Amino acid sequence: MARTSKKTKAATVAAVEEAASVGEVGTVAAIATGPETSAVAASGETVFIPLNKLKKHPKNARKTPHSEASIEGKAASIAAKGILQNLVVEPELDAEGQPTGFYLVSIGEGRRLAQLLRAKRKEIKKTEPIRCVIDTVNDAAEISLDENVTREDLHPADQFERFRELAEDRGWGAEEIAARFGVTAHVVKQRLRLGAVSPKLMQVYRDGGLTLDQLMAFAITADHARQEQVFAKLSYNRDPAQIRRDLTKANVPATDRRAIFIGAEAYIEAGGNIIRDLFTEDRGGFYEDAALLDRLVMEKLESIAFRVRGDEGWKWWEAHIDFPHAHGMRRVYPHPVELSAEDAADYAATQEEYDRLSSEYEGADELPDDVDQRFGELEAEIEHIDAKRHAYDLDDITRSGVFVVLDHDGGARIERGFVRPEDEKPEAEEASNGETVIDGVRVNADGEVVEDGDHGAEPDAEDEDTEEDGKPLSDILVRDLTAHRTLGLRLALGEQPDMALIAVTHALAAQTFYRGVDAHCLEIRPISASLGGHADGIEDTAAAKALADRHAGWAADMPRDVAHLWGFIVGLDHASVMALFAHCASQIVNAVKLPWERKPRVLETADKLASALTLDMTAHWTPTVRTYLGRVTKALILDAVREAVSDEAADRLASMKKQPMAEAAEQLLAGTGWLPPLMRTTPVAERESEPVEDIAAPEGGEGFPEAAE
């Protein structure tokens, strides 16, 4: 062995001691000291060589570089446990065949790179001694290849279970294990989850009966019994997505409105567990206990309902997850009221400050934080005072109740002013001589009860008592005169379109916003068919909510008494009359196609109306598994994808089972604006260009306008 200086010898001895202290034990036959070495250790001897004296062997079989993740993992492992396998090296020789003092790494290049990474991070010195085995006998290219070819990787199942044992036996968390193996904590959590799969299914995976993707699908739950139950019922369809659906069909996805309403934190505090899928995008996971979630939702809704009733004084309250559309109650709405002097003054001051700030910062690209905050405060105050411009009658509040339900977007929805039949006021019936009948009791104009014998005798025949002063006209004569007046009204109304619009609007509004009143003289009977029986959940959609809000807005502006409705409508400007007329007309549109009905002209007219309105159903409806794709054939699903996306996208789905195909199609169609032909609107220009069909009148003249009587 070559002679060394005292200084070099002392350094190498210290290096050996340091290596032994971290577990790098073994028989050290020689010490490589550096470039002044005059001889090299014999082949097969173990030596410690400074890191900066090691080089990659040009004959190394691995030409594809090590990945960054691989180097990171090795560096973390070495930092925690030291180098567990020696590097195999041979001395580098110069052109004359003399040692240069450097060594070429035949086996262990990844470990060398890992130590260089640690040196770069200042975790070790560049001269860190590395335990190596000298090999000058075997061909470097062959042994490098041999190390990679003959090695058999650990079966993934063994890896998953060993990670789980580290967590259970040593109490290490995912972060600790990740640090020791150079992987992310998420990867460790995935392996721990896989290691916790039922031992029976793990053995099936070892035997090749399950793929890794299928095993990952089973890992969505830790319930071994549930895993084994689903596995036993697997048919030919072993798609991972189907396995996940079967395992979670009794659970509630985090995107469900109930989960949004309660929130993960409150649910967990109540003892609930959230199942997370670590291998796919689960959008927040699945709430395992649906019954607990429903109970929490009801408790929160009831709390809100109780508070609203207490604050506002309603007679009763009810809380429901879904709005009870078949409640059978009449609804009352708030009416305009004057602001108090104090509120009016506050409103004026707030609006003045808001206008001043708006003018001051009109051209600013970005508002200062304090100004932006002030704008928010002013807007909230204006909205608060504006809300006071409408109020319910105290009598309505004491007779009505409030529903608090869960909205479609996961918020609490408060619906006020519902009157139960038993709480309705008795209807007043008109009687002769200025009397009224309330709940069967006759009352005179002064509010006094009239006994049965107190009222005057019924008028006799037309030709007897009508000549006496003070006697009413006979029924026959009244009918005759009012018939002539009706004819006059028909003639006059037909000559004044603006007044006809007001009259029709009044007739529609009287029946749309008031209960059982005959306060109009046009024989128009608006019929508004409920859509809830035709499409499940349609009444809780955003479009239905928008329509209900529009109706409530008009109802809040209506006079309390229907007797004042005519004056209210006459007092509106033309645009407002048109808007009210349009709203009332919209309430009676019915284009539902029922299988037993044969109304082709109705549907044709509905198509023409849609074209005239330029109806865009993409704003109100999207094709999902629930609304369309899960309810049609595979052929129609593929047609939709082919039309909206591409032939290639449809071909990729063609071999899939129905359910996963529908789910994949939902993702592909999202944002494309695709609609089924039945929901599309033909532009007016295209419709006008269509040829006019010569339609012969059926027997009996059906299809042609009837002659006016």
Side-chain angles (χ1 to χ4, degrees):
M1 187 172 181
R3 296 178 54 125
T4 60
S5 65
K6 293 182 179 180
K7 181 178 180 181
T8 303
K9 185 175 181 179
T12 55
V13 171
V16 173
E17 293 174 351
E18 180 181 357
S21 68
V22 295
E24 295 178 334
V25 295
T27 302
V28 182
I31 303 293
T33 59
E36 62 274 3
T37 304
S38 58
V40 296
S43 181
E45 292 188 8
T46 301
V47 297
F48 281 88
I49 302 174
L51 175 62
N52 60 356
K53 297 301 179 183
L54 297 175
K55 293 182 178 181
K56 179 180 179 179
H57 203 299
K59 293 184 178 181
N60 192 297
R62 187 185 293 274
K63 301 304 179 184
T64 303
H66 291 78
S67 66
E68 292 184 6
S70 173
I71 301 303
E72 287 280 359
K74 288 180 173 62
S77 176
I78 293 172
K81 300 173 281 291
I83 297 180
L84 302 179
Q85 293 176 285
N86 298 331
L87 280 67
V88 178
V89 302
E90 68 176 45
E92 183 186 50
L93 303 178
D94 59 18
E96 286 76 25
Q98 298 299 315
T100 64
F102 288 89
Y103 291 81
L104 304 176
V105 179
S106 306
I107 297 176
E109 174 62 13
R111 297 187 286 279
R112 183 185 76 88
L113 293 175
Q115 287 293 67
L116 286 176
L117 178 62
R118 295 184 65 212
K120 182 179 179 180
R121 293 174 174 173
K122 308 299 183 184
E123 296 178 13
I124 59 174
K125 296 178 180 180
K126 294 181 180 179
T127 57
E128 176 80 5
I130 307 299
R131 187 172 60 190
C132 304
V133 174
I134 303 295
D135 190 337
T136 57
V137 176
N138 294 303
D139 177 65
E142 181 181 352
I143 62 175
S144 175
L145 178 63
D146 185 85
E147 183 200 33
N148 291 283
V149 171
T150 60
R151 179 181 60 189
E152 183 174 359
D153 289 335
L154 191 68
H155 191 280
D158 298 329
Q159 181 186 145
F160 304 150
E161 291 179 339
R162 300 297 82 75
F163 268 75
R164 177 177 55 81
E165 290 172 1
L166 287 176
E168 294 177 353
D169 299 344
R170 303 195 184 186
W172 290 347
E175 297 291 344
E176 172 70 14
I177 297 175
R180 299 179 70 87
F181 287 90
V183 293
T184 65
H186 182 70
V187 169
V188 173
K189 290 177 181 177
Q190 288 181 324
R191 293 174 182 174
L192 292 175
R193 179 70 65 83
L194 288 167
V197 170
S198 162
K200 293 182 180 179
L201 298 190
M202 189 65 76
Q203 188 58 49
V204 174
Y205 170 57
R206 279 194 175 92
D207 297 339
L210 285 174
T211 66
L212 180 58
D213 285 342
Q214 292 167 342
L215 188 72
M216 290 190 296
F218 278 106
I220 195 172
T221 177
D223 186 341
H224 289 182
R226 180 68 180 146
Q227 292 172 352
E228 294 168 10
Q229 180 186 32
V230 170
F231 175 75
K233 293 182 178 180
L234 282 181
S235 61
Y236 62 91
N237 182 10
R238 294 195 169 197
D239 186 83
Q242 182 63 47
I243 294 173
R244 288 186 175 90
R245 277 192 299 273
D246 290 344
L247 287 168
T248 59
K249 63 183 178 182
N251 308 129
V252 180
T255 53
D256 187 274
R257 56 187 178 137
R258 292 170 292 172
I260 295 172
F261 183 57
I262 295 301
E265 184 176 348
Y267 172 76
I268 293 173
E269 286 180 359
N273 178 54
I274 297 180
I275 300 173
R276 299 305 306 265
D277 189 348
L278 300 179
F279 305 98
T280 63
E281 176 56 51
D282 65 0
R283 295 184 294 178
F286 299 85
Y287 287 54
E288 191 173 31
D289 193 338
L292 171 62
L293 185 61
D294 285 344
R295 178 173 64 81
L296 294 175
V297 169
M298 284 303 302
E299 289 175 355
K300 188 173 180 179
L301 289 174
E302 289 171 352
S303 174
I304 295 172
F306 184 78
R307 184 174 67 251
V308 169
R309 179 184 180 273
D311 293 343
E312 302 177 13
W314 299 97
K315 180 176 182 180
W316 55 266
W317 61 265
E318 289 183 14
H320 301 273
I321 292 180
D322 297 310
F323 187 84
H325 293 285
H327 53 70
M329 303 182 206
R330 181 176 66 92
R331 187 172 188 178
V332 296
Y333 292 92
H335 296 282
V337 295
E338 292 292 332
L339 291 177
S340 66
E342 181 181 357
D343 286 336
D346 290 343
Y347 184 88
T350 304
Q351 188 66 54
E352 181 182 359
E353 183 180 357
Y354 184 89
D355 293 340
R356 179 180 59 78
L357 287 176
S358 298
S359 300
E360 184 177 345
Y361 291 93
E362 183 176 4
D365 294 333
E366 188 174 350
L367 296 175
D369 290 342
D370 58 333
V371 175
D372 187 48
Q373 180 180 353
R374 184 56 183 160
F375 265 117
E377 293 171 352
L378 293 172
E379 289 169 355
E381 181 64 18
I382 290 173
E383 184 177 347
H384 174 70
I385 298 176
D386 270 335
K388 296 182 179 181
R389 297 181 186 275
H390 290 83
Y392 288 90
D393 287 344
L394 181 60
D395 181 58
D396 285 339
I397 292 176
T398 57
R399 290 186 299 111
S400 308
V402 58
F403 289 116
V404 177
V405 298
L406 189 58
D407 208 353
H408 68 279
D409 59 358
R413 173 177 153 200
I414 303 172
E415 300 287 352
R416 301 170 173 85
F418 293 90
V419 185
R420 289 169 172 164
E422 61 268 24
D423 294 325
E424 290 284 7
K425 282 183 176 180
E427 287 288 337
E429 303 174 10
E430 292 187 4
S432 60
N433 301 324
E435 298 173 353
T436 58
V437 178
I438 301 177
D439 204 18
V441 179
R442 187 178 296 275
V443 180
N444 63 23
D446 297 327
E448 300 173 344
V449 177
V450 179
E451 300 296 337
D452 289 342
D454 293 346
H455 58 273
E458 293 295 332
D460 294 326
E462 178 184 359
D463 58 349
E464 294 182 359
D465 298 330
T466 53
E467 297 179 0
E468 298 181 18
D469 294 338
K471 292 293 183 180
L473 300 177
S474 68
D475 291 342
I476 296 176
L477 180 57
V478 169
R479 184 183 65 184
D480 185 283
L481 296 177
T482 53
H484 283 279
R485 189 166 186 261
T486 297
L487 179 59
L489 285 172
R490 289 181 179 181
L491 182 64
L493 190 63
E495 296 170 350
Q496 301 183 45
D498 288 344
M499 192 53 62
L501 173 65
I502 290 176
V504 172
T505 302
H506 174 266
L508 293 174
Q511 298 170 87
T512 301
F513 294 97
Y514 297 88
R515 175 174 62 101
V517 295
D518 291 324
H520 55 90
C521 60
L522 273 65
E523 290 187 328
I524 297 175
R525 293 291 183 268
I527 300 174
S528 182
S530 172
L531 300 177
H534 301 304
D536 184 38
I538 191 174
E539 292 168 314
D540 292 314
T541 60
K545 182 65 167 57
L547 182 60
D549 288 344
R550 189 175 73 191
H551 186 83
W554 276 112
D557 290 335
M558 293 287 164
R560 292 179 175 84
D561 192 339
V562 70
H564 302 142
L565 178 61
W566 180 271
F568 169 77
I569 296 176
V570 170
L572 295 175
D573 58 65
H574 181 71
S576 298
V577 173
M578 294 296 291
L580 176 57
F581 172 77
H583 173 72
C584 292
S586 72
Q587 298 292 97
I588 56 177
V589 172
N590 188 352
V592 177
K593 184 177 181 180
L594 299 176
W596 58 85
E597 290 183 339
R598 295 294 179 266
K599 298 180 179 179
R601 301 185 191 282
V602 170
L603 299 177
E604 289 173 9
T605 303
D607 290 340
K608 294 174 182 176
L609 177 61
S611 297
L613 294 170
T614 62
L615 176 65
D616 181 10
M617 281 304 299
T618 61
H620 313 299
W621 185 92
T622 53
T624 65
V625 174
R626 184 183 65 83
T627 61
Y628 181 79
L629 298 168
R631 302 162 66 181
V632 297
T633 63
K634 292 174 61 176
L636 288 177
I637 296 175
L638 295 176
D639 287 345
V641 174
R642 187 172 289 109
E643 182 181 7
V645 187
S646 67
D647 291 340
E648 292 76 10
D651 292 341
R652 289 196 297 270
L653 303 185
S655 61
M656 300 176 68
K657 303 300 180 183
K658 170 70 178 294
Q659 185 66 21
M661 177 188 289
E663 293 178 351
E666 178 179 333
Q667 299 299 319
L668 290 172
L669 295 177
T672 64
W674 182 87
L675 293 171
L678 194 63
M679 301 187 76
R680 298 176 188 175
T681 299
T682 304
V684 175
E686 294 182 19
R687 184 171 293 280
E688 290 177 349
S689 66
E690 295 176 356
V692 178
E693 298 181 6
D694 185 11
I695 305 177
E699 293 184 6
E702 183 182 351
F704 290 99
E706 296 181 1
E709 294 180 358

